[in-house]
Amino acid sequence: MDLTVNIKTQQDNSILGVISGEIDAHTAPKLREQLLAIDTKSTNKAVLDLAGVGYMDSTGIGVIVAFYKSVIADGGELTLIGLSPRLKRLFDITGLSGIIHVEEEA
Amino acid sequence: MLLSQYLKYQTERNLYLGQNFSRHLVQKNITPEEVISIHKVALEEIQELGMTDTMIISLDFLTEFMIQYGLALREHKILVEQQESMNHEIELAAKVQNTMLRTKKPELDGVDIDFLSVPAGKMNGDYVYFQDDDSDFVGIGVADVVGKGIPAALCMSMVKNGLDTLGQASISPAYALDVLNRIVEKSVEDNMFISMFYGRYDNEESVFTYASAGHEPALYYCAREEKFYDLDESKGLLLGILPDVHYMESSIKLAKNDMIIIMTDGVTECRTENERFLSRQELIDMIYNVKDETPGDLAHSVFKALEKFQAFHQRDDFTLAVIKKVQ
């Protein structure tokens, strides 16, 4: 399945990235490229909406972690929203929900 | 000659001779544009055809077109050669990996320990390590490096060296992960990390102590209750994300025929052809069906069942390690 990434700057200068599709070894490079293009210096809040993400493997986690590191290095914070129970479990098991703010889908 | 024969008699045999000739041309690296100019000369020689200048010029036009095809063909040949040499190098690396990271299962009275690790590709991103000495302790680490192939294998040797340096089977699992995290964090890129489950079995007290760095929870099988439990009390962050992490550890006492089953996400993230994920209950049922087999057979049986579940299309490295108290 294909991956689509839609990145917008919100009115409050925060960044919202809406991702849908599967994040695996095939699609992760594309996501990485798009997230790296975000200027994390000009914002202090980034939100990634993962409601449309049905599957993420460890390569996908790697991309999110790299983005998280770049956001906090510039003094910002990262929130992930719309996680399916399966994705929430993945972030819990990996201990990442302890350092990245995650919200399950409503 | 071939052309004039074919123009006179369009038989299978004449066509076949033409095919053979073309194969010969490919072998000799004759380019498509050269083939057209041979064709052109042949046409000019057969006078009864009465080739017009326009037709001849149109062949020159075609030759120009074919030059690009000729270039693509040469490029393709070079790529095939490069790929062959790369495959050869990967095979050598896989051999080095097998030798360097070879795991020998420990022998300890009263407990049977075995594992199975099957890579999806040539190189394994999963790793099983045993810490074994003359003491009553045995340590077992199961790690999964993000990604596959050569970078993963290089990362793995870092884990092995770290654990080799720690050196004692009696070492605390939480401490082992603290140390490994520091080593890994210093050496990997931002998008690399390792998940790892580390356990230590104390044969004297029959106590299994474990800590997890972002790894899939291990299963504990209680033989008396015939029930499985997730060992998820000591969750910790993946190795290599933050520099200073302190892991927690928990313990569980094993009775006769109790088992600890440690696996990687190649087991738990199994999917069918129709993208349906293996549920925890299905995995537990698979293991329950073969619970009386020896740990080595059990791991093989679960692998076989999962192969069937995912229609023999293994997407990720598979690793399953079993510790069973037999006395």
Side-chain angles (χ1 to χ4, degrees), chain A residues 22 24 32 54-56 58-59 61-63 65-66 68-70 72 86 89-90 92-96 99, chain B residues 146-147 189-191 193 214-217 230 235-238 240-242 265 268-269 271 275 277-278 280:
Chain A
E22 293 200 349
D24 57 19
R32 181 174 170 79
Y55 174 75
M56 185 191 293
S58 53
T59 350
I61 294 268
V63 175
V65 166
Y68 161 76
K69 285 188 182 176
S70 116
I72 57 161
R86 203 174 172 90
R89 178 177 183 269
L90 190 60
D92 284 343
I93 286 175
T94 50
L96 290 170
I99 56 168
Chain B
V146 62
E189 277 189 40
D190 276 359
N191 62 339
F193 55 78
H215 199 82
E216 192 60 42
D230 276 353
K235 276 188 264 192
L237 187 63
L238 294 162
I241 309 264
L242 294 179
D265 58 8
T268 50
E269 296 278 288
R271 285 187 279 175
E275 305 293 313
F277 284 96
L278 178 80
R280 197 80 177 167

Side-chain angles (χ1 to χ4, degrees), chain B residues 45-224:
Chain B
E45 278 172 4
I46 308 171
Q47 282 160 3
E48 60 262 38
L49 280 177
M51 291 292 288
T52 64
D53 283 350
T54 338
M55 282 160 118
I56 298 288
I57 294 170
S58 81
L59 285 176
D60 289 338
F61 191 63
L62 187 60
T63 305
E64 277 306 311
F65 266 85
M66 284 303 129
I67 287 175
Q68 288 306 319
Y69 282 90
L71 287 175
L73 184 72
R74 268 178 295 239
E75 225 167 76
H76 172 76
K77 277 200 169 148
I78 293 171
L79 281 177
V80 169
E81 278 165 23
Q82 281 178 348
Q83 200 180 9
E84 272 169 14
S85 91
M86 259 169 67
N87 275 345
H88 180 65
E89 275 179 34
I90 292 176
E91 245 149 56
L92 281 179
K95 267 190 203 149
V96 172
Q97 188 193 23
N98 280 339
T99 318
M100 189 171 68
L101 300 176
R102 187 183 294 142
T103 310
K104 201 177 147 281
K105 61 171 189 156
E107 306 286 341
L108 207 61
D109 287 342
V111 57
D112 191 354
I113 301 175
D114 211 337
F115 73 100
L116 178 68
S117 189
V118 185
K122 279 185 185 146
M123 302 195 70
N124 204 336
D126 289 355
Y127 181 47
V128 180
Y129 182 93
F130 292 111
Q131 195 82 263
D132 187 18
D133 50 26
D134 294 334
S135 69
D136 270 329
F137 293 95
V138 60
I140 174 171
V142 174
D144 181 0
V145 178
V146 62
K148 297 187 186 71
I150 295 175
L154 289 174
C155 225
M156 210 78 81
S157 50
M158 205 156 55
V159 170
K160 176 193 156 48
N161 290 341
L163 287 169
D164 278 349
T165 311
L166 286 169
Q168 280 171 352
S170 60
I171 204 135
S172 133
Y175 176 71
L177 292 182
D178 284 0
V179 173
L180 281 177
N181 179 58
R182 273 200 295 276
I183 297 175
V184 174
E185 200 274 334
K186 280 200 182 83
S187 332
V188 297
E189 277 189 40
D190 276 359
N191 62 339
M192 282 287 275
F193 55 78
I194 299 173
S195 80
M196 182 162 187
F197 186 94
Y198 193 91
R200 177 195 64 197
Y201 182 64
D202 176 349
N203 204 19
E204 179 82 32
E205 303 288 332
S206 303
V207 169
F208 182 75
T209 305
Y210 63 95
S212 167
H215 199 82
E216 192 60 42
L219 282 170
Y220 157 63
Y221 174 69
C222 172
R224 187 175 52 81

Side-chain angles (χ1 to χ4, degrees), chain A residues 46-101:
Chain A
V47 179
L48 295 181
D49 184 344
L50 302 177
V53 177
Y55 174 75
M56 185 191 293
D57 72 358
S58 53
T59 350
I61 294 268
V63 175
I64 302 279
V65 166
F67 183 59
Y68 161 76
K69 285 188 182 176
S70 116
V71 171
I72 57 161
D74 292 324
E77 58 178 79
L78 172 65
T79 305
L80 305 179
I81 59 170
L83 275 72
S84 66
R86 203 174 172 90
L87 275 189
K88 175 74 167 56
R89 178 177 183 269
L90 190 60
F91 279 90
D92 284 343
I93 286 175
T94 50
L96 290 170
S97 53
I99 56 168
I100 303 177
H101 187 67

